[in-house]
Amino acid sequence: MNKNLEALLQDFQKVGQKYAVSPKDPRNSTEWLDKLNSQVITRMLATYSVQALEEMATRRGINSQGRKKAWLAQELALRFYNENAIEKSLKQLSPLAREGFLRMKQNGGVINLALWQNQMEAKHGKAATTNVLSELVGNMLAFFGQFYSLEHIEFNTTSVHELTKPTFGWGNIVLWTFPKAIRLQMLTDDGAVSVSSNDLLAPYKSEGESPKVASEANFEGVLTDIFAFIRYLEQNKVKVLQSGDPGKRDYLKLNDLMLVKENPKQLTESRKMSDLGRVNFVWRLLVETQLVQLANYTEVTLNPETNTEFYSLPRYQQARLLTAAWLRSSFEEFVRIPTLEFNDRNSTDYNSLPDHASLVRARIFLLKTLEDFQRSGSLPTQQWLDFTALLLFMQEKNNDFLLTPSTTQNYYYSYNPGYYGQSYYNGFTSRLKKAEKGTRGMGNAVALKRDSDWELVEGEYIAEVFREPLAWLGLIELGYNREGRPAAFRLTELGKAVLTNQPTEAEARTAEQTRQLAAVSPDMTKALLVQPNFDVMILAPLQHQALLRQLDRFANQSSLGDVAMYRMTKESVLRGLRAGLSGTELLQILNDNSRVPVASNISTTIQDWAAEFERLLIYDYANLLETPTAEILDRLLSRPEAVISTIERLGPTFALVKGDLDHLDGILRQIQKEMGVAPTSRNKEAMPLYLDYSRGVAGAIEVAGDRTIKVNPHLGNPYLNYLLGRFAELISWNAATMSGEYRLSAQAGQRAQLAGLTYEEVSTTLREWLKPENSRGFFRLPELPPEMDLALKGWLGYYSPMLAEKALALQVTQNEQIEELFGIKEFAPALIGKAGPHTVLVRESHFAALREKLAEWGMPVIAPDIDPPALLPEPEVALVEEPETPKTGKRGKPKGPPKPKELKATRERKRREENEKNPATNPLFEGGLGGGPIQVMDLLDILSRGPAAGILKELGDDGFFDDEDDGPPSPRGRGRRR
């Protein structure tokens, strides 16, 4: 059996041993108490009275009559760590003293003395507690000390201790023991108080009605959810966060696949998976059983070996396995108690919330108690028992099985909300206990006392375990009374099977029926029915989960109930083939598990699909390995540690290998050293050479002129040689330095076109292998020389052939006139295209008709190079009125001739023309300050990639900065321009 499953299927005692003595604070440890030297022990024992030392000596078998105190301390120090003496002391403890020692052990070996005395006196009285203390100290199993930390416990004192009374004058007085005594006690005592024949759980007494089930036990539901989880993880690449849990996108999808879904409100408000219940619970089971694993601490992968073995186990062993996984898991059911209100779950300095080790110990103690009850016959299956009676029993036997009081009193915590004192539960309150006048608490909630509110904390924890984890696992059901409070519980048949490690009666009966049926008709025991239309049915699917897992690899599930329905398609079968199945293996699964013979059309079709698939093998991640000589590759492939990474040998010096190849470096270099082979001339790191087909080597090539491509020394490789040979002619090649020279030509371009290459592919290939350009700190692919770029576009068919015809250039003074000309359909045959912001090309054959039409519309076309001088229009002269008498100025001098008076239309036209010529008002004017349209676009492109990119983001559509922070706009416009 898989080692991980073996560990989980151990007894519950062994599952919890690693947590049994874990301290409350995992950062500290009391292991140093096992390493005290004899001088320290002698000095520590010397702080006890002569009478106390004599009692210790008597119990350790030392004759103390007439001996001095110093001699007694030295002799006891020599026997302090003696295992036989410790075991003898443990065996002679009375039941009450055993319980007192158990309380110390549950607290990690150190407990506040006053707290320990209060707990013992509350149950057994002061006199009995005094006797227990005398018995523990007298047997050298407990000692007094002043506590500073788990790594610092003071033994020295100016006074002398008695067996039952320490004499420290101040400080936090504790009762401590050493880890070796705790470990020896674990070998003789399982840590749980055994159930006697007098401890019987009373049946639940109801008034004519059964309790309402809080959550039905449904182990099949958990199996269904686990199956859905594994299928999702198998079909999707799921990565986990630093916490080790999937992100919200994945756990939301997982929740949709579950049989029992989370509360929608809680699902929406959750920030991480650990905030949830069932979906988090199923995930913890998968991780703890190692059905799923974390690759490189980030990516989730499945463990095929564990999955196969898990689905082949009987149901009761599956349930026992998952129960053991819950015992060890990090699932936090305490914070899911619905009656508790938590202040700050993240602040662990002052709250009483149980840590992981405390939860594991509590689960083990609870399950061991149920196991003892079942063994004693007082826990019948399917019978409602009194829940309150169980709480009273557990409180009496182990009051601190879950929450151990703090060892120290820190007055600094009193400033934190939620800290009420050492005698209270800190960090949470109960909705069931309301505040009264003068009580300590927050708002309407009152602080919970450790000595009187056990049922509201530990009792509610037991109810929560019954309501969710153990009900989900199908072991226990919790019942509510009319008031909605936990009142009863009952053990299921599966719960009994888990506690006894025996199959249920129904499971045993089914197994026997299957055995008898197999003897008569073996085919009737098979669960598969394969239909000729490629539908597949599985009868009783949860009893044939191993078959479900196999079928899920090459068929699509449509439903899962009493009968699971699947359908095989070409795509699903190809999925199975890609996963490693062969066509023969796939058909064998169907034939071995089908009640009826598989139809011939299904066998033929699957074989055809498999044959088609096997013509082409695709590897998800593979690399090409090249060695300098064939002998080096021969020796590499003969080594077992290298064979596992090799897919196929492709040639004398080439091999196809998979996975991470870093580990092959050392093997190859060792082979090179053994053979005395010097490094190749490529470079000192040439062993081995890995070719990455997904990207080029920057700087491996350089271009010269418009046709030459040079491969730089020691930077070329066979793949680059292959790439360049597809679209260029090889001029020279030096194998020693892996360098060469290629030339572009029209013939090579035609060959590249026939091979299916395009200009974009060739251009990208060249740019990836050229040295990148540094533009203001940003590296980008370089541009090809303009001549080479244009030649490649022509040779590779990027541009269509150009057409030539006679044309005339028609110049206008305003841009909008060109747009209006192209907007008239009648002019379309005459216009060829624009030649600039103010120039349009007109076909010579259509010029006369266009000119006539424009003249008709009042837009004559002046053509000095075409028309004779006699046909050119006269200069425009404005109409003016001749004055009757010449006017004179102030000094009597006659004025000059009057200026011609321009028409208003003429003035408007000249103004528009001047505006278009002025760069300040027309940023698109050629040669002006703003540059042409192409220059402006280049400028914007540079700004968008450089440090000024942030400025462009703040510009609005109209060129202004965002005015949100500038206050209201000014009366004249929309606001100040920054």
Side-chain angles (χ1 to χ4, degrees), residues 502-525:
Q502 297 292 330
T504 62
E505 294 181 4
E507 194 173 359
R509 186 166 55 251
T510 301
E512 178 62 23
Q513 292 174 354
T514 303
R515 187 187 63 79
Q516 295 177 1
L517 185 61
V520 179
S521 178
D523 289 341
M524 293 304 296
T525 62

PDB file of all heavy atoms in Angstrom, residues 502-525:
ATOM      1  N   GLN A 502     -13.934  -2.202  10.448  1.00  0.00           N
ATOM      2  CA  GLN A 502     -14.596  -3.360   9.857  1.00  0.00           C
ATOM      3  C   GLN A 502     -15.641  -2.869   8.852  1.00  0.00           C
ATOM      4  O   GLN A 502     -16.217  -1.793   9.028  1.00  0.00           O
ATOM      5  CB  GLN A 502     -15.290  -4.212  10.930  1.00  0.00           C
ATOM      6  CG  GLN A 502     -14.350  -4.828  11.952  1.00  0.00           C
ATOM      7  CD  GLN A 502     -13.442  -5.885  11.350  1.00  0.00           C
ATOM      8  OE1 GLN A 502     -13.816  -6.561  10.392  1.00  0.00           O
ATOM      9  NE2 GLN A 502     -12.246  -6.036  11.919  1.00  0.00           N
ATOM     10  N   PRO A 503     -15.900  -3.620   7.786  1.00  0.00           N
ATOM     11  CA  PRO A 503     -16.908  -3.172   6.809  1.00  0.00           C
ATOM     12  C   PRO A 503     -18.302  -3.158   7.421  1.00  0.00           C
ATOM     13  O   PRO A 503     -18.595  -3.899   8.375  1.00  0.00           O
ATOM     14  CB  PRO A 503     -16.793  -4.203   5.682  1.00  0.00           C
ATOM     15  CG  PRO A 503     -16.189  -5.413   6.326  1.00  0.00           C
ATOM     16  CD  PRO A 503     -15.280  -4.896   7.402  1.00  0.00           C
ATOM     17  N   THR A 504     -19.170  -2.337   6.881  1.00  0.00           N
ATOM     18  CA  THR A 504     -20.559  -2.303   7.342  1.00  0.00           C
ATOM     19  C   THR A 504     -21.264  -3.588   6.921  1.00  0.00           C
ATOM     20  O   THR A 504     -20.801  -4.322   6.036  1.00  0.00           O
ATOM     21  CB  THR A 504     -21.294  -1.099   6.732  1.00  0.00           C
ATOM     22  OG1 THR A 504     -21.321  -1.234   5.305  1.00  0.00           O
ATOM     23  CG2 THR A 504     -20.594   0.207   7.086  1.00  0.00           C
ATOM     24  N   GLU A 505     -22.398  -3.840   7.578  1.00  0.00           N
ATOM     25  CA  GLU A 505     -23.156  -5.042   7.235  1.00  0.00           C
ATOM     26  C   GLU A 505     -23.612  -4.997   5.785  1.00  0.00           C
ATOM     27  O   GLU A 505     -23.572  -6.017   5.075  1.00  0.00           O
ATOM     28  CB  GLU A 505     -24.354  -5.169   8.170  1.00  0.00           C
ATOM     29  CG  GLU A 505     -23.974  -5.413   9.624  1.00  0.00           C
ATOM     30  CD  GLU A 505     -25.210  -5.557  10.508  1.00  0.00           C
ATOM     31  OE1 GLU A 505     -26.337  -5.541   9.954  1.00  0.00           O
ATOM     32  OE2 GLU A 505     -25.053  -5.706  11.732  1.00  0.00           O
ATOM     33  N   ALA A 506     -24.057  -3.824   5.328  1.00  0.00           N
ATOM     34  CA  ALA A 506     -24.506  -3.707   3.933  1.00  0.00           C
ATOM     35  C   ALA A 506     -23.348  -3.937   2.974  1.00  0.00           C
ATOM     36  O   ALA A 506     -23.504  -4.603   1.932  1.00  0.00           O
ATOM     37  CB  ALA A 506     -25.119  -2.332   3.701  1.00  0.00           C
ATOM     38  N   GLU A 507     -22.184  -3.421   3.295  1.00  0.00           N
ATOM     39  CA  GLU A 507     -21.019  -3.601   2.421  1.00  0.00           C
ATOM     40  C   GLU A 507     -20.583  -5.060   2.401  1.00  0.00           C
ATOM     41  O   GLU A 507     -20.246  -5.596   1.334  1.00  0.00           O
ATOM     42  CB  GLU A 507     -19.877  -2.703   2.915  1.00  0.00           C
ATOM     43  CG  GLU A 507     -18.745  -2.527   1.936  1.00  0.00           C
ATOM     44  CD  GLU A 507     -17.736  -1.495   2.404  1.00  0.00           C
ATOM     45  OE1 GLU A 507     -17.940  -0.908   3.494  1.00  0.00           O
ATOM     46  OE2 GLU A 507     -16.743  -1.284   1.693  1.00  0.00           O
ATOM     47  N   ALA A 508     -20.588  -5.701   3.548  1.00  0.00           N
ATOM     48  CA  ALA A 508     -20.227  -7.121   3.600  1.00  0.00           C
ATOM     49  C   ALA A 508     -21.248  -7.976   2.845  1.00  0.00           C
ATOM     50  O   ALA A 508     -20.881  -8.927   2.139  1.00  0.00           O
ATOM     51  CB  ALA A 508     -20.119  -7.577   5.056  1.00  0.00           C
ATOM     52  N   ARG A 509     -22.537  -7.624   2.987  1.00  0.00           N
ATOM     53  CA  ARG A 509     -23.582  -8.383   2.291  1.00  0.00           C
ATOM     54  C   ARG A 509     -23.454  -8.223   0.772  1.00  0.00           C
ATOM     55  O   ARG A 509     -23.599  -9.198   0.025  1.00  0.00           O
ATOM     56  CB  ARG A 509     -24.949  -7.899   2.771  1.00  0.00           C
ATOM     57  CG  ARG A 509     -26.120  -8.699   2.242  1.00  0.00           C
ATOM     58  CD  ARG A 509     -27.397  -8.404   3.011  1.00  0.00           C
ATOM     59  NE  ARG A 509     -27.692  -6.970   3.016  1.00  0.00           N
ATOM     60  CZ  ARG A 509     -27.579  -6.200   4.106  1.00  0.00           C
ATOM     61  NH1 ARG A 509     -27.153  -6.732   5.246  1.00  0.00           N
ATOM     62  NH2 ARG A 509     -27.876  -4.912   4.047  1.00  0.00           N
ATOM     63  N   THR A 510     -23.168  -6.999   0.321  1.00  0.00           N
ATOM     64  CA  THR A 510     -22.999  -6.765  -1.118  1.00  0.00           C
ATOM     65  C   THR A 510     -21.796  -7.528  -1.649  1.00  0.00           C
ATOM     66  O   THR A 510     -21.834  -8.097  -2.754  1.00  0.00           O
ATOM     67  CB  THR A 510     -22.835  -5.262  -1.389  1.00  0.00           C
ATOM     68  OG1 THR A 510     -23.988  -4.562  -0.911  1.00  0.00           O
ATOM     69  CG2 THR A 510     -22.649  -4.981  -2.872  1.00  0.00           C
ATOM     70  N   ALA A 511     -20.710  -7.544  -0.890  1.00  0.00           N
ATOM     71  CA  ALA A 511     -19.519  -8.268  -1.321  1.00  0.00           C
ATOM     72  C   ALA A 511     -19.794  -9.761  -1.446  1.00  0.00           C
ATOM     73  O   ALA A 511     -19.328 -10.421  -2.384  1.00  0.00           O
ATOM     74  CB  ALA A 511     -18.383  -8.012  -0.341  1.00  0.00           C
ATOM     75  N   GLU A 512     -20.570 -10.306  -0.511  1.00  0.00           N
ATOM     76  CA  GLU A 512     -20.903 -11.732  -0.566  1.00  0.00           C
ATOM     77  C   GLU A 512     -21.799 -12.043  -1.759  1.00  0.00           C
ATOM     78  O   GLU A 512     -21.604 -13.050  -2.462  1.00  0.00           O
ATOM     79  CB  GLU A 512     -21.581 -12.150   0.740  1.00  0.00           C
ATOM     80  CG  GLU A 512     -22.022 -13.604   0.792  1.00  0.00           C
ATOM     81  CD  GLU A 512     -20.856 -14.580   0.665  1.00  0.00           C
ATOM     82  OE1 GLU A 512     -19.703 -14.198   0.964  1.00  0.00           O
ATOM     83  OE2 GLU A 512     -21.114 -15.729   0.261  1.00  0.00           O
ATOM     84  N   GLN A 513     -22.785 -11.164  -2.029  1.00  0.00           N
ATOM     85  CA  GLN A 513     -23.660 -11.372  -3.181  1.00  0.00           C
ATOM     86  C   GLN A 513     -22.877 -11.303  -4.482  1.00  0.00           C
ATOM     87  O   GLN A 513     -23.105 -12.092  -5.401  1.00  0.00           O
ATOM     88  CB  GLN A 513     -24.772 -10.326  -3.174  1.00  0.00           C
ATOM     89  CG  GLN A 513     -25.772 -10.485  -2.043  1.00  0.00           C
ATOM     90  CD  GLN A 513     -26.774  -9.345  -1.986  1.00  0.00           C
ATOM     91  OE1 GLN A 513     -26.655  -8.368  -2.724  1.00  0.00           O
ATOM     92  NE2 GLN A 513     -27.772  -9.471  -1.116  1.00  0.00           N
ATOM     93  N   THR A 514     -21.933 -10.385  -4.548  1.00  0.00           N
ATOM     94  CA  THR A 514     -21.101 -10.275  -5.753  1.00  0.00           C
ATOM     95  C   THR A 514     -20.255 -11.516  -5.940  1.00  0.00           C
ATOM     96  O   THR A 514     -20.086 -12.009  -7.069  1.00  0.00           O
ATOM     97  CB  THR A 514     -20.213  -9.031  -5.657  1.00  0.00           C
ATOM     98  OG1 THR A 514     -21.030  -7.867  -5.481  1.00  0.00           O
ATOM     99  CG2 THR A 514     -19.373  -8.859  -6.898  1.00  0.00           C
ATOM    100  N   ARG A 515     -19.741 -12.057  -4.848  1.00  0.00           N
ATOM    101  CA  ARG A 515     -18.926 -13.271  -4.931  1.00  0.00           C
ATOM    102  C   ARG A 515     -19.754 -14.445  -5.430  1.00  0.00           C
ATOM    103  O   ARG A 515     -19.306 -15.221  -6.295  1.00  0.00           O
ATOM    104  CB  ARG A 515     -18.331 -13.589  -3.563  1.00  0.00           C
ATOM    105  CG  ARG A 515     -17.331 -14.740  -3.565  1.00  0.00           C
ATOM    106  CD  ARG A 515     -16.921 -15.101  -2.159  1.00  0.00           C
ATOM    107  NE  ARG A 515     -18.056 -15.582  -1.371  1.00  0.00           N
ATOM    108  CZ  ARG A 515     -18.553 -16.823  -1.474  1.00  0.00           C
ATOM    109  NH1 ARG A 515     -18.000 -17.696  -2.306  1.00  0.00           N
ATOM    110  NH2 ARG A 515     -19.579 -17.193  -0.733  1.00  0.00           N
ATOM    111  N   GLN A 516     -20.969 -14.602  -4.898  1.00  0.00           N
ATOM    112  CA  GLN A 516     -21.822 -15.699  -5.326  1.00  0.00           C
ATOM    113  C   GLN A 516     -22.247 -15.546  -6.787  1.00  0.00           C
ATOM    114  O   GLN A 516     -22.300 -16.511  -7.545  1.00  0.00           O
ATOM    115  CB  GLN A 516     -23.054 -15.777  -4.423  1.00  0.00           C
ATOM    116  CG  GLN A 516     -22.740 -16.133  -2.986  1.00  0.00           C
ATOM    117  CD  GLN A 516     -23.972 -16.132  -2.106  1.00  0.00           C
ATOM    118  OE1 GLN A 516     -25.088 -15.873  -2.568  1.00  0.00           O
ATOM    119  NE2 GLN A 516     -23.793 -16.415  -0.812  1.00  0.00           N
ATOM    120  N   LEU A 517     -22.552 -14.290  -7.191  1.00  0.00           N
ATOM    121  CA  LEU A 517     -22.963 -14.055  -8.570  1.00  0.00           C
ATOM    122  C   LEU A 517     -21.810 -14.299  -9.525  1.00  0.00           C
ATOM    123  O   LEU A 517     -22.007 -14.810 -10.633  1.00  0.00           O
ATOM    124  CB  LEU A 517     -23.474 -12.618  -8.712  1.00  0.00           C
ATOM    125  CG  LEU A 517     -24.070 -12.216 -10.066  1.00  0.00           C
ATOM    126  CD1 LEU A 517     -25.287 -13.083 -10.391  1.00  0.00           C
ATOM    127  CD2 LEU A 517     -24.460 -10.752 -10.067  1.00  0.00           C
ATOM    128  N   ALA A 518     -20.598 -13.960  -9.115  1.00  0.00           N
ATOM    129  CA  ALA A 518     -19.438 -14.181  -9.969  1.00  0.00           C
ATOM    130  C   ALA A 518     -19.189 -15.659 -10.206  1.00  0.00           C
ATOM    131  O   ALA A 518     -18.700 -16.056 -11.265  1.00  0.00           O
ATOM    132  CB  ALA A 518     -18.204 -13.530  -9.343  1.00  0.00           C
ATOM    133  N   ALA A 519     -19.541 -16.491  -9.218  1.00  0.00           N
ATOM    134  CA  ALA A 519     -19.355 -17.927  -9.378  1.00  0.00           C
ATOM    135  C   ALA A 519     -20.324 -18.504 -10.404  1.00  0.00           C
ATOM    136  O   ALA A 519     -20.010 -19.480 -11.089  1.00  0.00           O
ATOM    137  CB  ALA A 519     -19.519 -18.623  -8.034  1.00  0.00           C
ATOM    138  N   VAL A 520     -21.504 -17.892 -10.526  1.00  0.00           N
ATOM    139  CA  VAL A 520     -22.514 -18.389 -11.465  1.00  0.00           C
ATOM    140  C   VAL A 520     -22.372 -17.728 -12.829  1.00  0.00           C
ATOM    141  O   VAL A 520     -22.327 -18.389 -13.864  1.00  0.00           O
ATOM    142  CB  VAL A 520     -23.933 -18.142 -10.896  1.00  0.00           C
ATOM    143  CG1 VAL A 520     -24.983 -18.629 -11.892  1.00  0.00           C
ATOM    144  CG2 VAL A 520     -24.096 -18.833  -9.556  1.00  0.00           C
ATOM    145  N   SER A 521     -22.301 -16.380 -12.845  1.00  0.00           N
ATOM    146  CA  SER A 521     -22.216 -15.629 -14.101  1.00  0.00           C
ATOM    147  C   SER A 521     -21.269 -14.448 -13.916  1.00  0.00           C
ATOM    148  O   SER A 521     -21.688 -13.376 -13.453  1.00  0.00           O
ATOM    149  CB  SER A 521     -23.619 -15.134 -14.513  1.00  0.00           C
ATOM    150  OG  SER A 521     -23.552 -14.372 -15.693  1.00  0.00           O
ATOM    151  N   PRO A 522     -20.009 -14.616 -14.240  1.00  0.00           N
ATOM    152  CA  PRO A 522     -19.030 -13.551 -13.996  1.00  0.00           C
ATOM    153  C   PRO A 522     -19.371 -12.235 -14.698  1.00  0.00           C
ATOM    154  O   PRO A 522     -19.133 -11.165 -14.160  1.00  0.00           O
ATOM    155  CB  PRO A 522     -17.724 -14.148 -14.533  1.00  0.00           C
ATOM    156  CG  PRO A 522     -17.942 -15.624 -14.521  1.00  0.00           C
ATOM    157  CD  PRO A 522     -19.403 -15.831 -14.807  1.00  0.00           C
ATOM    158  N   ASP A 523     -19.959 -12.320 -15.892  1.00  0.00           N
ATOM    159  CA  ASP A 523     -20.244 -11.083 -16.628  1.00  0.00           C
ATOM    160  C   ASP A 523     -21.291 -10.224 -15.934  1.00  0.00           C
ATOM    161  O   ASP A 523     -21.309  -8.995 -16.114  1.00  0.00           O
ATOM    162  CB  ASP A 523     -20.723 -11.412 -18.045  1.00  0.00           C
ATOM    163  CG  ASP A 523     -19.597 -11.953 -18.917  1.00  0.00           C
ATOM    164  OD1 ASP A 523     -18.426 -11.719 -18.549  1.00  0.00           O
ATOM    165  OD2 ASP A 523     -19.883 -12.600 -19.945  1.00  0.00           O
ATOM    166  N   MET A 524     -22.173 -10.814 -15.136  1.00  0.00           N
ATOM    167  CA  MET A 524     -23.223 -10.048 -14.463  1.00  0.00           C
ATOM    168  C   MET A 524     -22.679  -9.182 -13.336  1.00  0.00           C
ATOM    169  O   MET A 524     -23.376  -8.293 -12.843  1.00  0.00           O
ATOM    170  CB  MET A 524     -24.290 -10.997 -13.924  1.00  0.00           C
ATOM    171  CG  MET A 524     -25.082 -11.708 -15.015  1.00  0.00           C
ATOM    172  SD  MET A 524     -25.871 -10.555 -16.170  1.00  0.00           S
ATOM    173  CE  MET A 524     -27.018  -9.716 -15.071  1.00  0.00           C
ATOM    174  N   THR A 525     -21.449  -9.429 -12.929  1.00  0.00           N
ATOM    175  CA  THR A 525     -20.862  -8.593 -11.874  1.00  0.00           C
ATOM    176  C   THR A 525     -20.193  -7.346 -12.445  1.00  0.00           C
ATOM    177  O   THR A 525     -19.776  -6.469 -11.687  1.00  0.00           O
ATOM    178  CB  THR A 525     -19.818  -9.400 -11.087  1.00  0.00           C
ATOM    179  OG1 THR A 525     -18.766  -9.799 -11.977  1.00  0.00           O
ATOM    180  CG2 THR A 525     -20.448 -10.630 -10.464  1.00  0.00           C
TER     181      THR A 525
END
